[in-house]
Amino acid sequence: MSHTETDARADRAPGGVGDSAPRPDGTLKVTGEFAYSSDLFLEGMLWGATLRSPHPSAWIRSIDVGPALAMPGVYAVLTHEDVPGAKHYGLDAADQPVLAIDQVRYQGEPVAIVAADHPETARRAAAAIAVRYEVREPVTDARRAAFDPACPPVHPGGNLVRRQPVLTGAGRDSGPGMRLGTGLGTGLGTGPDAAEVVVTGEYEVGMQDQAPLGPESGLAVPADDGGVDLYVATQWLHVDQAQIAPCLGLPAEKVRLTLAGVGGAFGAREDLSMQIHACLLALRTGRPVKFVYGREESFLGHVHRHPAWMRYEHGATRDGRLVYVRAEIVLDGGAYRSSSGAVVANAASLGVGPYEVPNVDIDARVVYTNNPPCGAMRGFGAVQACYAYESQMDRLAEACGLDPVEIRVRNAVSQGSALATGQVIDSPAPLAAMLRELAAMPLPPPGPADDLRGLPGGVAQTTHGEGVRRGVGYGVGIKNICYSEGFDDHSTARVRVELLGGEPHALVHTAAAEVGQGLLTIQTQIARTELGVRRVTVVPADTGVGSAGSTSASRQSYMTGGAVKAACEAVRARLDALRAASPGASLAELLERHGPVEETREFHHRPTVPMDPVTGQGSSHVQLALCVHRAVVDVDVELGLVKVVELAAVQDVGRALNPLALEGQIHGGSAQGLGLALMEEIQVRDGVVRNPSFTDYLIPTILDVPPMRLSILENPDPHAPYGLRGAGEPPTLSSTPAIAAAVRAATGLPLTRVPIRPEDIALAGAAAQAARS
């Protein structure tokens, strides 16, 4: 369907595709009336609580639940011995115990669960369970886990989760694992020996938390058929069901899931948390059981962003044309696999960024440690690599005497370019034009010296402008959209048009999780556009309809949007046939005569292939998206305080289905990138989390997030529904290196680790000054 036809249909039904239609859940959320999963309640329900290991690594020698069972108000206490089915589960591989069996592999691992008539009773009963541990030395250094043969294995098969090379050009000729800084000469005119300028750097990314405001929570209700109904905040109902049912010893059809109100996700709800535990207790007691994690338990109870150590070497000609990139990437996957295999694949496949590089040698791995488990978070492996390769591009620009924008323009990919994996970009990719547009945007003026709110430290009176330096930095990111490497992450939609109150009404039913991104709105907009009806209701998501896949990978507008569009088109085709048989009849008259019209459709994206395990070659991604950022910062170089003055961004979204919601996604992604750049990090020492609270884990507030200048480009992707391009993740990539580059520009310090702490600036600056004097 052409855009002209689509727009015409949208005009007949206001609030369709392309409009900034209001969110159906927006008013309730703003007024505080929206029901989140933590608000669920049933008369007679019990409360669940979890006993977690205080140790990152230990043998379990005995568990005594007697003291907990003896407490009044306690209905059940369960350990691994009470799990009736499979004792392990996992997103990618079943390597995680439902409840610890003979050992614990991270601090916070669930050991036992309790159901009681009051949440405080449940917590006290969990604390009364006596567990005798034999503590072991934890494995906490990811590089040791990756490279030291003497390192103890966290799992019997060893510590390597996945190793993924990417080799092209001379890198492919020489094979994987070439050591950085060696073997530069190959005798090839286009090989690494053609490089006239070489820059090398080591970079680190800390462990970021998704920090959703809504804690893990849900309500399990035992059913008359021996099954269970679970109301839960999650990102993927059907994959939860597929993991829960075997552990309960039940067929999937007896484990029914309904999406409850979700208070943010960002990847934290891809893995299971309390789901199996609530169902076990509900089935054991015959009563509904509710879990709500506190904030500290939430930090222990979900996965985080993978910390990364990366070493990069870039070689270029004197005029800044890239000749080769070599990189070594080590990701810390923590105690269990989760989605680590896919995360490292992203880091590897996108590891040189959106640049044309003839010779590439990337060696990426992710390993097990006894640190907290890591998995999905917005950006999914591409964030870590982006920080490193963009830092390198700035170093290379300086070494070549070029502007940081110009060196990126000279090496930018475009439609028809090949990535390091050999995949050809077959849709618009106007990166050079995006960079030029960004650079041309006006810079913000200097802040007023008499307004402390605009200075680092704000109204705390830390400075009145003395010691404050301004810096400007740029960042570019490329992110894959939808699932990759041959995974068919299809989506299903059921659409029904019926007469309700004398007016045509569309019902849209999918299992897609609305986690705050605005998917409910998009579904209603598509139905209005395709069916020309005004009234649209999105049925609560559940497992009563086919899978919609995960709300992750910036994929739901593409995949579930595509499914809703396909189902609507099938309904419209039937309605058109009825119209042909009854010329002049209105839609209401047709429905009154013939009854409701309903169709269900699956939507599949184009096929992809796994990356070659040796060379990394292959068209592994469905779609690619670009975002570029410019950051302007003021830095108090004496105290190390940073004020982000402005973020500017240019992003190509293919087509904006809801412009206002789209702007919100870019703002939100940029804010999370700001957090990673300057403040957000889970502090882990010897495997123990030191800051599991929003008092000590800092996230950007309204005072930290600056004004944003946006340019949203619409160059449709011919392979995607409506030409759209997933938009939620790309700004998270490019904002972090842009801010870090701006801080480097203001301070003159190398700053190779994020988040950048005040002491990184103040202490390094003082040391440099002392050395000069």
Side-chain angles (χ1 to χ4, degrees), residues 49 61 86 97-98 133 221 231 274 285 327 330 341 388 405 437 471 504 508 587 608 620 622 630 743 750 757 761:
R61 295 310 184 194
V98 175
Y133 297 98
V221 183
Y231 303 85
M274 43 62 62
T285 63
V330 178
V405 172
E437 180 178 348
V508 178
L587 178 56
T608 60
S620 61
V622 176
R630 184 187 68 196
V743 177
R757 304 185 185 102
I761 298 170

Side-chain angles (χ1 to χ4, degrees), residues 225-598:
D225 65 354
V228 64
D229 294 285
L230 178 63
Y231 303 85
V232 66
T234 182
Q235 289 179 240
W236 192 349
L237 290 165
H238 282 81
V239 85
D240 282 10
Q241 181 190 50
Q243 294 173 86
I244 296 167
C247 298
L248 302 180
L250 292 174
E253 60 268 19
K254 286 196 174 184
V255 180
R256 297 167 290 268
L257 277 70
T258 300
L259 187 71
V262 182
F266 315 109
R269 303 185 200 275
E270 278 230 325
D271 295 75
L272 297 184
S273 56
M274 43 62 62
Q275 286 94 320
I276 299 175
H277 299 161
C279 292
L280 285 171
L281 289 169
L283 292 170
R284 172 61 69 93
T285 63
R287 301 267 293 271
V289 175
K290 176 179 178 177
F291 271 80
V292 180
Y293 287 2
R295 185 58 59 191
E296 179 175 347
E297 186 173 20
S298 178
F299 272 95
L300 301 176
H302 65 249
V303 297
H304 315 287
R305 189 185 298 287
H306 291 72
W309 173 87
M310 298 163 288
R311 188 178 181 203
Y312 269 72
E313 182 180 292
H314 281 56
T317 59
R318 185 64 63 188
D319 62 353
R321 309 284 178 177
L322 285 169
V323 175
Y324 73 88
V325 173
R326 293 197 180 102
E328 191 171 15
I329 300 172
V330 178
L331 303 180
D332 185 345
Y336 294 103
R337 185 182 182 94
S338 182
S339 54
S340 286
V343 171
V344 78
N346 271 8
S349 64
L350 304 174
V352 301
Y355 302 114
E356 294 186 337
V357 190
N359 306 287
V360 175
D361 179 356
I362 294 175
D363 191 8
R365 25 186 129 204
V366 60
V367 294
Y368 291 120
T369 67
N370 292 120
N371 291 321
C374 293
M377 185 177 173
R378 194 177 198 165
F380 204 79
V383 164
Q384 295 90 325
C386 182
Y387 171 66
Y389 65 67
E390 284 300 276
S391 298
Q392 284 286 100
M393 292 301 284
D394 285 335
R395 286 190 174 188
L396 195 60
E398 183 178 8
C400 293
L402 293 174
D403 177 89
V405 172
E406 180 58 31
I407 198 164
R408 289 169 168 86
V409 168
R410 292 186 183 187
N411 294 284
V413 296
S414 59
Q415 186 168 358
S417 296
L419 300 178
T421 60
Q423 179 164 357
V424 175
I425 299 175
D426 60 356
S427 62
L431 178 56
M434 293 167 67
L435 283 161
R436 292 190 181 101
E437 180 178 348
L438 182 70
M441 289 181 178
L443 289 165
D450 58 347
D451 188 349
L452 297 179
R453 292 173 299 176
L455 292 171
V459 296
Q461 299 262 15
T462 57
T463 182
H464 284 251
E466 63 278 9
V468 175
R469 307 285 183 268
R470 176 156 289 190
V472 179
Y474 293 87
V476 175
I478 183 169
K479 177 66 178 64
N480 62 307
I481 307 300
C482 299
Y483 279 24
S484 301
E485 292 201 276
F487 192 93
D488 181 16
D489 54 319
H490 71 273
S491 183
T492 311
R494 182 180 301 144
V495 174
R496 176 185 178 95
V497 175
E498 62 187 12
L499 206 59
L500 192 62
E503 185 178 351
H505 189 106
L507 296 176
V508 178
H509 188 188
T510 76
E514 167 65 70
V515 300
Q517 81 279 34
L519 181 62
L520 289 177
T521 318
I522 293 298
Q523 292 180 74
T524 62
Q525 289 180 260
I526 291 172
R528 290 192 189 108
T529 294
E530 298 300 331
L531 298 172
V533 299
R534 183 179 65 86
R535 298 178 61 191
V536 179
T537 297
V538 178
V539 178
D542 59 28
T543 51
V545 67
S547 176
S550 175
T551 296
S552 61
S554 304
R555 61 175 292 281
Q556 284 293 15
S557 292
Y558 193 124
M559 297 304 301
T560 295
V564 172
K565 183 174 184 288
C568 286
E569 288 170 343
V571 168
R572 192 176 72 241
R574 287 182 56 188
L575 291 172
D576 287 345
L578 293 176
R579 284 193 184 97
S582 303
S586 67
L587 178 56
E589 290 169 337
L590 290 175
L591 294 172
E592 188 172 15
R593 293 176 196 170
H594 300 282
V597 176
E598 180 178 294

Side-chain angles (χ1 to χ4, degrees), residues 142-201:
R143 278 188 284 173
R144 183 186 175 217
F147 301 119
D148 184 357
C151 181
V154 175
H155 288 269
N159 292 328
L160 182 65
V161 177
R162 179 178 179 179
R163 181 182 182 185
Q164 182 58 63
V166 174
L167 306 170
T168 190
R172 190 169 182 176
D173 296 337
S174 53
M178 217 162 61
R179 292 188 59 190
L180 294 169
T182 64
L184 292 179
T186 66
L188 298 174
T190 58
D193 60 336
E196 301 167 292
V197 179
V198 175
V199 294
T200 303

Side-chain angles (χ1 to χ4, degrees), residues 456 467-470 633-637 640-643 743 746-747 761:
V468 175
R469 307 285 183 268
R470 176 156 289 190
V633 304
D634 283 341
V635 183
D636 184 334
V637 297
L641 301 178
V642 178
K643 172 75 174 180
V743 177
T747 62
I761 298 170

Side-chain angles (χ1 to χ4, degrees), residues 4-25:
T4 302
E5 292 170 322
T6 298
D7 288 341
R9 198 170 277 122
D11 289 340
R12 292 199 301 272
V17 168
D19 291 345
S20 291
R23 297 176 56 140
D25 55 342

